Amino acid sequence: MTQDYNFAYLDEQTKRMIRRAILKGLAVPGYQVPFASREMPMPYGWGTGGVQVSAATLTPEDTFKVIDQGSDDTTNAVSIRKFFEKTAGVAVTEETEKASVIQTRHRIPEAALREDQILVYQVPIPEPLRFLEPRETETRKMHSLQEYGLMHVKLYEDISQHGAIATAYAYPVRVSDRYVMDPSPIPKFDNPKLEMAAIQLFGAGREQRIYAVPPYTKVVSLDFEDYPFEPTKADHACDLCGAEDSYLDEVILDDAGNRMFVCSDTDYCRSRREAGHVGRLGEEAA
Amino acid sequence: MTATATTAIAGGFSDPAIESARAFRAAMNVMARPGEIRDLDMARPPAPLSAAAGTLLLTLCDPETGVHLAGACDSAEMRGWLAFHTGAPVVSADRAGFAVGRWADLLPLDRFRIGTPEYPDRSATLIVELEALQQAGASLRGPGIKDSAALSLPDPAALAGNAMLYPLGLDFFFTCGGRIAALPRSTQISEG
Amino acid sequence: MYVAVKGGERAIENAHAWLAEERRGNGDVAELSLAQIREQLSLAVNRVMAEGSLYDPDLAALAIKQARGDLIEAIFLIRAYRTTLPRFGATKPVDTGAMDCDRRISATFKDAPGGQVLGPTFDYTHRLLDFKLAAEGGESLEAPKAAPRHQPTPHITEFLAGEDIIQREPESEAAPGDLTRQPMSFPAGRDIRLQSLTRGDEGFLLGLAYSTQRGYARNHAFVGELRIGTVAVEMEIPELGFAIEIGEVELTECETVNQFKGSKTEPPQFTRGYGLVFGQTERKAISMALVDRALRWRELGEDDLGAAAQDEEFVLSHSDNIQATGFLEHIKLPHYVDFQSELELVRKLRREAGADATREAAE
């Protein structure tokens, strides 16, 4: 009962099916292409869509990076990175700059990505209209007719009730003036970065959808003239590297509830500290 | 073994998993960046098919995809080669997932599936064999293009008409020898 | 001083080592063999084969052992293995009319050709713990044997069809769809529905089927027939030009006969629900038949009563326990980036609400 697996685990026919879906996804940016997602050796909901897209995309020459919550060392990122180290024999890195393919859950790296890089997102619920309308038959119709009024009504109800749009992550965007798309549960702080030089691929395994955003594609976060979209983050600088432009994790330090704020993108923080930047609590570390 | 069979067996990938991974990356990159030209030169299909078109067929086609062979591409050698290496069924234009041939042989375009409003992905991809492929000619704008790009399109007006169908429409690869470029339906075209 | 959490890799390795130790349990107790699981926990093996969609009792036993008896985890192992197997082709449809029945009962007729055969059922056992089993060392028991029946056992619904009083299923030569190869789209069609149900979670289907009995789209089901036994599996070999038997599988088949007063499009007649599941899995097969029947409201011209069991998209989207358990359990994964963005938002909304309240108080 031993067994050898194919390069990057998936069989060739499955990879071809995924590759065809990726090409159609790139041709119709933001449109969710159905694909016959396979059962992977990790659970649905744990990145099987991203893993399948990465498996269909990787070549032996690639250098692969995996982040979860911005960090390379979170357990599920470690697990996925090891999977491809083993099944595809690719080089791996924690440095954004050195990676050619980056698989991510919940973040876009802080450093601007280049044209020769690919960002693969793990997507739990690809349908931006799902929580307004649970039926796929209905939401598919709404996309075909560009009937996005329901989404605007929802956002507007937030404003009338709370004085602000109460969506903090998975904030919906409109791609190339056509499809409303779920950018995966990234904090809305990351939304402006969705317009980038790299190819962005989105894989939802359990929901059997792949979608894509080609480089330099127009991506607009939904908003209203009088309530413009605001990419927000904790109003602090990183306590380790002093960065004021990066998304921050809040860490509880002691029983008294003292906090510190640190970059969620651990590689960004590391590279800044190596370059000599020091935050409020960083000096003590040296 | 017959002469056809010998031809059919030659010219495929020697290491399918690795070569098709590399070939797909080239195909994905050009589809994501309309106007960009890349090398794609792994397969050796029977004449008159180019190496790039042959490589693309081996990378993307299998028993689940109907392939339409247009004009001189529809030969016994070509059918044998496609069947041996991909198992893809040869089908008529209206049922094709992929079609390959010279531009004139692929016309009229309205024979091919352009998808449905609810499933625009259910559309054909055309692999157009060109005599020349260069970054000059029609001006391209849209997703995947920083400002504008240029590509030697066979018939800019017809392709602009295809873009008008967006989000429905056909997607194109252009092949010439061992090189490839692409034009998705999302690209806006103006005469250069 | 705070140091960012490191060591995910070592933590995973250690967790795996601990899991392996727990799996084995106390080393003084003899280790379970796959043969013991296959022979003595055969209903668990059957469930894993059915929901794993792979007929292989030895692999199912291995999966149960590896999963420490967590059957959904075992089903997951089987599914992940199954998806890597190459496909050589499709078998011919099995002929359940030619089944070698171990059990065959009908609730609709007192007797019928082929008889009522109880088989190895729990049905009339009194559910009293048998402390003799706790003593171990039980010798292998042999049940009395009757002469095997050699002619095929006809389906009960055939008798009703002969009288033309039950709806006939349309014959079709079309190859059925396969939800493991094509993405699901709705409406799915009965072939995909039945495939989805037979792979679906037993507990989920049981609950849905039960809800129809309690009035949520009640469809008056009788168990027309329940049969369990083995059938031959045949495959056409193109090189040979004919079909050969490649093995046999144990199946449970349930056909319900449902009262039907007729609708706008159909005359009064009986209708059917259908369940077919790998192994001896009768709770699942009966549940499947009831849910199948509930899902057929549209083709029979019945009313949509808004019941869960009638809702194809709802049932098919939620019946797969591997999808469900993965997504349910993924909320254990770190979500602190999303949580942080929510935290900032709630703080901001509270600040603003507080500022409004202060202003109002001042005015």
Side-chain angles (χ1 to χ4, degrees):
Chain A
M1 287 188 189
T2 58
Q3 167 159 19
D4 279 332
Y5 290 103
N6 196 23
F7 172 72
Y9 182 75
L10 294 173
D11 61 280
E12 288 307 296
Q13 191 162 349
T14 298
K15 280 191 266 182
R16 274 193 296 272
M17 178 265 300
I18 295 168
R19 287 168 179 160
R20 292 192 294 261
I22 290 173
L23 292 176
K24 287 297 172 194
L26 285 164
V28 190
Y31 164 73
Q32 303 162 50
V33 184
F35 82 112
S37 175
R38 299 292 192 248
E39 265 125 352
M40 299 299 288
M42 61 268 293
Y44 284 119
W46 299 53
T48 56
V51 166
Q52 288 179 81
V53 168
S54 291
T57 303
L58 284 170
T59 67
E61 295 76 34
D62 276 311
T63 303
F64 190 52
K65 170 181 164 87
V66 187
I67 51 172
D68 187 332
Q69 315 296 299
S71 163
D72 300 86
D73 203 48
T74 38
T75 40
N76 204 41
V78 169
S79 164
I80 290 170
R81 188 167 62 236
K82 282 202 87 93
F83 177 73
F84 281 110
E85 248 184 305
K86 203 159 103 186
T87 60
V90 289
V92 296
T93 183
E94 297 193 1
E95 292 179 49
T96 303
E97 191 174 299
K98 289 189 178 151
S100 54
V101 178
I102 302 171
Q103 180 168 327
T104 181
R105 176 168 170 265
H106 293 191
R107 278 308 314 275
I108 297 177
E110 303 293 356
L113 298 187
R114 300 184 307 266
E115 288 204 354
D116 60 346
Q117 294 179 304
I118 297 168
L119 185 58
V120 176
Y121 295 78
Q122 300 172 204
V123 183
I125 303 275
E127 177 49 71
L129 306 169
R130 182 61 70 236
F131 299 116
L132 306 172
E133 167 53 63
R135 274 167 207 286
E136 172 69 14
T137 34
E138 290 301 316
T139 53
R140 199 155 271 279
K141 212 175 296 164
M142 289 157 77
H143 282 294
S144 77
L145 300 169
Q146 298 195 63
E147 227 179 69
Y148 296 131
L150 206 55
M151 180 64 88
H152 279 101
V153 168
K154 190 254 164 200
L155 297 177
Y156 201 80
E157 276 173 0
D158 277 2
I159 293 171
S160 57
Q161 216 178 330
H162 311 292
I165 292 173
T167 298
Y169 60 91
Y171 190 102
V173 295
R174 188 141 196 188
V175 180
S176 196
D177 298 318
R178 180 57 181 81
Y179 286 98
V180 167
M181 182 187 95
D182 181 309
S184 89
I186 55 173
K188 66 179 179 175
F189 172 81
D190 282 342
N191 272 26
K193 290 186 247 168
L194 289 159
E195 285 186 358
M196 64 165 74
I199 295 174
Q200 297 173 82
L201 305 174
F202 298 78
R206 192 180 37 78
E207 298 279 338
Q208 308 193 314
R209 298 289 182 271
I210 284 172
Y211 52 104
V213 177
Y216 310 115
T217 300
K218 183 177 169 191
V219 180
V220 178
S221 302
L222 300 185
D223 64 357
F224 299 92
E225 234 166 70
D226 43 347
Y227 285 91
F229 170 79
E230 269 185 303
T232 53
K233 66 180 216 34
D235 193 14
H236 294 269
C238 172
D239 284 326
L240 294 181
C241 78
E244 294 182 353
D245 57 354
S246 74
Y247 191 76
L248 300 172
D249 294 338
E250 181 172 333
V251 183
I252 300 173
L253 291 176
D254 53 33
D255 292 353
N258 283 311
R259 314 285 164 107
M260 75 180 288
F261 290 87
V262 293
C263 291
S264 130
D265 184 336
T266 48
D267 179 60
Y268 184 72
C269 198
R270 178 199 56 77
S271 63
R272 279 182 52 85
R273 276 178 285 145
E274 280 177 10
H277 297 281
V278 179
R280 183 175 64 100
L281 301 173
E283 262 172 334
E284 297 165 35
Chain B
M1 196 170 278
T2 66
T4 311
T6 313
T7 315
I9 291 168
F13 289 153
S14 53
D15 187 347
I18 305 299
E19 284 172 288
S20 54
R22 291 178 183 144
F24 171 68
R25 280 289 278 279
M28 178 173 84
N29 270 303
V30 295
M31 188 58 84
R33 298 185 176 85
E36 189 164 315
I37 298 174
R38 294 230 171 184
D39 290 334
L40 189 67
D41 192 19
M42 297 162 191
R44 289 287 173 271
L49 205 67
S50 68
T55 306
L56 202 54
L57 290 176
L58 297 195
T59 304
L60 298 175
C61 299
D62 58 36
E64 291 177 13
T65 52
V67 176
H68 179 69
L69 301 173
C73 285
D74 191 2
S75 64
E77 286 79 13
M78 197 43 225
R79 282 176 176 246
W81 189 79
L82 189 69
F84 181 81
H85 290 286
T86 72
V90 172
V91 299
S92 58
D94 59 316
R95 290 171 49 223
F98 290 86
V100 60
R102 291 150 54 100
W103 179 253
D105 296 328
L106 289 164
L107 298 178
L109 295 183
D110 63 8
R111 298 182 296 157
F112 296 100
R113 292 185 303 163
I114 57 168
T116 66
E118 287 170 14
Y119 295 95
D121 57 300
R122 296 179 182 173
S123 63
T125 301
L126 272 50
I127 302 167
V128 187
E129 296 267 57
L130 296 182
E131 300 281 325
L133 184 60
Q134 46 193 223
Q135 288 182 304
S139 170
L140 315 179
R141 288 175 189 279
I145 302 167
K146 193 170 184 187
D147 296 308
S148 75
L151 193 65
S152 52
L153 299 179
D155 182 349
L159 292 165
N162 177 63
M164 296 286 287
L165 302 171
Y166 192 84
L168 308 190
L170 307 172
D171 305 306
F172 298 87
F173 283 107
F174 298 107
T175 49
C176 177
R179 296 184 314 137
I180 186 166
L183 183 80
R185 64 191 90 171
S186 59
T187 302
Q188 298 299 312
I189 300 159
S190 51
E191 305 271 354
Chain C
M1 174 51 217
Y2 171 79
V3 183
V5 186
K6 280 273 172 191
E9 197 161 333
R10 230 182 64 219
I12 291 175
E13 277 164 16
N14 290 340
H16 290 177
W18 196 353
L19 175 66
E21 186 182 325
E22 287 290 313
R23 176 187 299 125
R24 178 59 184 86
N26 185 340
D28 296 339
V29 177
E31 188 181 350
L32 268 176
S33 72
L34 297 193
Q36 286 171 326
I37 296 171
R38 186 191 64 223
E39 297 302 318
Q40 297 173 38
L41 298 176
S42 55
L43 297 187
V45 166
N46 286 344
R47 182 174 173 198
V48 170
M49 292 197 302
E51 293 171 34
S53 281
L54 185 71
Y55 196 93
D56 189 323
D58 291 308
L59 285 181
L62 169 60
I64 291 167
K65 178 172 177 174
Q66 187 177 335
R68 303 174 63 195
D70 178 336
L71 295 190
I72 290 183
E73 184 68 26
I75 291 161
F76 185 8
L77 289 168
I78 291 296
R79 290 270 194 96
Y81 177 74
R82 175 192 191 274
T83 197
T84 65
L85 298 175
R87 293 190 171 213
F88 299 117
T91 67
K92 295 178 58 166
V94 294
D95 179 5
T96 55
M99 181 183 281
D100 227 344
C101 294
D102 290 340
R103 170 162 165 79
R104 190 272 198 140
I105 54 166
S106 169
T108 51
F109 292 96
K110 182 169 183 186
D111 203 1
Q116 304 267 16
V117 180
L118 284 184
T121 177
F122 290 123
D123 282 357
Y124 305 102
T125 61
H126 293 148
R127 270 60 168 201
L128 303 169
L129 277 176
D130 181 357
F131 291 101
K132 286 206 297 285
L133 288 176
E136 298 183 32
E139 72 285 16
S140 148
L141 302 169
E142 222 162 292
K145 281 194 177 68
R149 182 184 157 83
H150 287 298
Q151 59 274 51
T153 306
H155 278 115
I156 297 291
T157 50
E158 291 299 310
F159 301 112
L160 295 169
E163 203 186 324
D164 210 17
I165 200 169
I166 190 164
Q167 175 234 359
R168 287 183 182 274
E169 303 298 341
E171 300 249 345
S172 169
E173 289 297 315
D178 182 350
L179 62 82
T180 69
R181 310 300 285 182
Q182 296 295 325
M184 182 81 83
S185 63
F186 298 105
R190 194 167 178 221
D191 51 347
I192 293 289
R193 287 202 313 243
L194 290 171
Q195 184 188 16
S196 174
L197 295 178
T198 196
R199 287 161 56 93
D201 182 72
E202 177 177 311
F204 179 75
L205 293 193
L206 172 65
L208 279 175
Y210 177 48
S211 75
T212 69
Q213 290 183 295
R214 288 195 65 259
Y216 291 80
R218 177 159 182 245
N219 53 40
H220 312 271
F222 299 100
V223 172
E225 180 171 355
L226 177 76
R227 56 170 67 193
I228 302 175
T230 50
V231 297
V233 178
E234 296 185 334
M235 197 165 160
E236 297 267 11
I237 307 295
E239 287 81 1
L240 298 178
F242 54 86
I244 58 165
E245 188 177 322
I246 56 171
E248 55 178 33
V249 295
E250 186 183 29
L251 295 175
T252 300
E253 183 185 51
C254 175
E255 276 196 286
T256 56
V257 174
N258 301 66
Q259 189 199 95
F260 181 56
K261 295 198 186 89
S263 68
K264 283 156 265 171
T265 57
E266 301 292 319
Q269 58 186 329
F270 291 104
T271 56
R272 313 178 203 220
Y274 189 70
L276 184 71
V277 187
F278 278 157
Q280 187 177 338
T281 43
E282 68 182 67
R283 182 187 301 118
K284 168 79 174 281
I286 299 169
S287 300
M288 176 175 168
L290 261 61
V291 177
D292 170 52
R293 178 60 187 79
L295 288 170
R296 302 184 71 188
W297 63 272
R298 201 190 299 268
E299 67 196 72
L300 296 169
E302 293 175 320
D303 291 331
D304 177 6
L305 302 170
Q310 284 182 304
D311 186 332
E312 178 187 271
E313 190 169 337
F314 178 83
V315 173
L316 270 51
S317 300
H318 302 113
S319 63
D320 190 291
N321 52 24
I322 303 308
Q323 292 176 356
T325 199
F327 197 56
L328 181 106
E329 297 194 36
H330 106 281
I331 62 175
K332 294 182 286 192
L333 288 177
H335 281 77
Y336 54 79
V337 162
D338 296 351
F339 184 72
Q340 185 65 33
S341 64
E342 293 269 274
L343 202 57
E344 294 298 333
L345 179 71
V346 172
R347 281 177 185 151
K348 176 170 177 278
L349 294 177
R350 285 177 62 93
R351 261 196 316 272
E352 282 165 10
D356 286 351
T358 315
R359 202 162 39 242
E360 272 167 34
E363 276 165 7

